[in-house]
Amino acid sequence: MKSKFVGCLVGSAVGDALGSLFEGFWASDLEFAGYSGRWTDDTHMMIGVAESLISCGGFDGSHMAQIFIKNYEEEPWRGYASGPPQVFRMIKRGLAWSEASKRLFNGLGSYGNGAAMRVAPVGLLYYDNEERLRSVAYAQSQITHAHELGMEGAAVQAYSVALAVKADSSSELDSYEFLGKVKEFTISEVYRQKIEKCSELLSETNKRKVARELGNGVEAYNSVPAAIYSFSRNWHSFKDAVTYAVSLGGDTDTIGAMAGAISGAYHGVENIPEEWKNKLEKKHYIEKLAEELWNLKSRKSG
Ligand code: R7I
Ligand code: MG
Ligand code: MG
């Protein structure tokens, strides 16, 4: 189980770093020679989620918001989109962490994938408690992404991580059953339809068709399904799952990170290729966070 926790966070960071080589490109012929292990805002914010959960022994919105702000101010060049920095400024001016994000996008809040790309630690810490997983996934979204589709995307991604952590990777995974559980979990018609489409497309060989039907964009509903799909059809191999996710094009670092989190949680850290792990920026720190989450989980359940 500990190896699955570490595999999840390391896998997410590796997927981000690989995908960042191709963000915005159609990457049908993948050439990972330029891989440096350097990751982007996706991993930076996932680290923030883990740091806050560990230091508070669970979710504390005001603390997590302050961690996001501190990390952003130290390294604002990580490739953040426009939404989160705007929220950070509002919170610094005194707005409550649970209010600021509602002001974005004409008062509806963001449905970008920023809340889903960072949510893996929530999927780990609450893998055995569906209700708590959902409420903490929503609450951590609320800091920057108040739109219901942004929040639901985070919950669906966290739940997929939880399913992967619980699955026995020594026997075969039934992709249809996995997707069926995700579909049952979501309360949103938009995600239900997308996940259903994932099942229909499981044996589709045309990647452009897959990308067109599931989406590969920065919106949560156009990237979370693509990541879950990439894992589902490539459950047997971390390398294949992440390579496939990145090859769908579009928001490649984020789809890579989310597929990497699910696949890493399924396989454990030993099954992530050495050449990808070795170069990973701050690998030891990310491993340490995953181990501390594991310790926290053991204490909570013990
Ligand atoms: O979601 P967010 O943190 O961005 C994450 C992405 C990932 O790809 C990272 O790798 C990084 O590159 O950025 O940031 P937001 O600004 O909240 O959302 C991202 C984008 O989604 C916005 O800039 C908009 O283009 C789009 N978007 C919306 N567009 C219209 N209406 C998000 N919400 C809306 C909306 O309500
Ligand atoms: Mg990024
Ligand atoms: Mg991205």
Side-chain angles (χ1 to χ4, degrees), residues 16 23 40-42 79 113 117 218 250-255:
D16 177 12
E23 202 173 5
T40 76
D41 59 321
D42 304 49
N113 52 24
M117 72 189 186
V218 73
D251 193 355
T252 49
D253 64 336
T254 305
I255 299 173

Coordinates of all heavy atoms in Angstrom, one line a residue, residues 16 23 40-42 79 113 117 218 250-255, ligand 3:
D16 N 3.3 14.7 -15.5 CA 3.3 16.1 -15.7 C 4.6 16.5 -16.5 O 4.6 17.2 -17.5 CB 3.2 16.8 -14.4 CG 3.4 18.4 -14.4 OD1 3.3 18.9 -15.5 OD2 3.5 19.0 -13.4
E23 N 2.8 20.1 -24.4 CA 1.6 20.8 -24.1 C 1.1 21.6 -25.3 O 1.9 22.4 -25.9 CB 1.8 21.8 -22.9 CG 0.4 22.1 -22.2 CD 0.6 22.9 -20.9 OE1 1.7 23.3 -20.5 OE2 -0.5 23.1 -20.3
T40 N 5.5 21.0 -13.7 CA 4.8 22.4 -13.8 C 3.9 22.6 -12.7 O 3.9 21.9 -11.6 CB 4.1 22.5 -15.2 OG1 2.8 21.7 -15.1 CG2 4.9 21.9 -16.4
D41 N 3.0 23.6 -12.8 CA 2.0 23.9 -11.8 C 1.2 22.8 -11.3 O 0.8 22.7 -10.1 CB 1.1 25.0 -12.3 CG 0.3 24.6 -13.6 OD1 0.9 23.9 -14.4 OD2 -0.8 25.0 -13.7
D42 N 1.0 21.8 -12.2 CA 0.1 20.6 -11.8 C 0.7 20.0 -10.5 O 0.1 19.7 -9.5 CB 0.0 19.6 -12.9 CG -0.5 20.2 -14.2 OD1 0.0 21.3 -14.6 OD2 -1.4 19.6 -14.8
G79 N 4.1 27.8 -14.8 CA 3.1 27.6 -15.9 C 1.7 27.7 -15.4 O 0.8 27.1 -16.0
N113 N -9.2 22.5 -15.3 CA -8.8 21.3 -14.7 C -7.9 21.4 -13.5 O -7.3 20.4 -12.9 CB -8.3 20.3 -15.7 CG -7.1 20.9 -16.5 OD1 -6.5 21.8 -16.0 ND2 -6.9 20.3 -17.7
M117 N -6.2 18.3 -11.3 CA -4.8 17.9 -11.6 C -4.0 17.8 -10.3 O -3.0 17.1 -10.3 CB -4.1 19.0 -12.5 CG -3.8 20.3 -11.8 SD -3.3 21.7 -12.9 CE -2.9 23.0 -11.7
V218 N -8.3 22.1 -21.6 CA -8.0 22.5 -20.2 C -9.2 22.5 -19.3 O -9.1 22.6 -18.1 CB -7.4 24.0 -20.3 CG1 -8.5 25.0 -20.7 CG2 -6.7 24.4 -19.0
G250 N -3.3 18.1 -26.9 CA -4.0 19.1 -26.0 C -3.3 19.4 -24.7 O -2.1 19.7 -24.8
D251 N -4.0 19.3 -23.6 CA -3.4 19.7 -22.3 C -2.6 18.5 -21.8 O -3.0 17.8 -20.8 CB -4.6 20.0 -21.4 CG -4.0 20.7 -20.1 OD1 -2.8 20.8 -19.9 OD2 -4.9 21.2 -19.3
T252 N -1.5 18.2 -22.5 CA -0.8 17.0 -22.2 C -0.2 16.8 -20.9 O -0.1 15.7 -20.3 CB 0.3 16.8 -23.3 OG1 1.0 18.0 -23.3 CG2 -0.3 16.5 -24.7
D253 N 0.3 17.9 -20.3 CA 1.0 17.8 -18.9 C -0.1 17.3 -17.9 O 0.1 16.5 -17.1 CB 1.7 19.0 -18.5 CG 0.9 20.2 -18.3 OD1 -0.2 20.3 -18.9 OD2 1.3 21.1 -17.5
T254 N -1.3 17.9 -18.0 CA -2.3 17.7 -17.1 C -3.0 16.3 -17.3 O -3.2 15.6 -16.3 CB -3.4 18.8 -17.2 OG1 -2.7 20.0 -17.0 CG2 -4.4 18.7 -16.1
I255 N -3.2 15.9 -18.5 CA -3.8 14.6 -18.8 C -2.8 13.5 -18.4 O -3.1 12.5 -17.8 CB -4.3 14.5 -20.2 CG1 -5.4 15.5 -20.5 CG2 -4.8 13.1 -20.5 CD1 -5.8 15.6 -22.0
Ligands
MG3 MG -1.8 21.5 -18.4

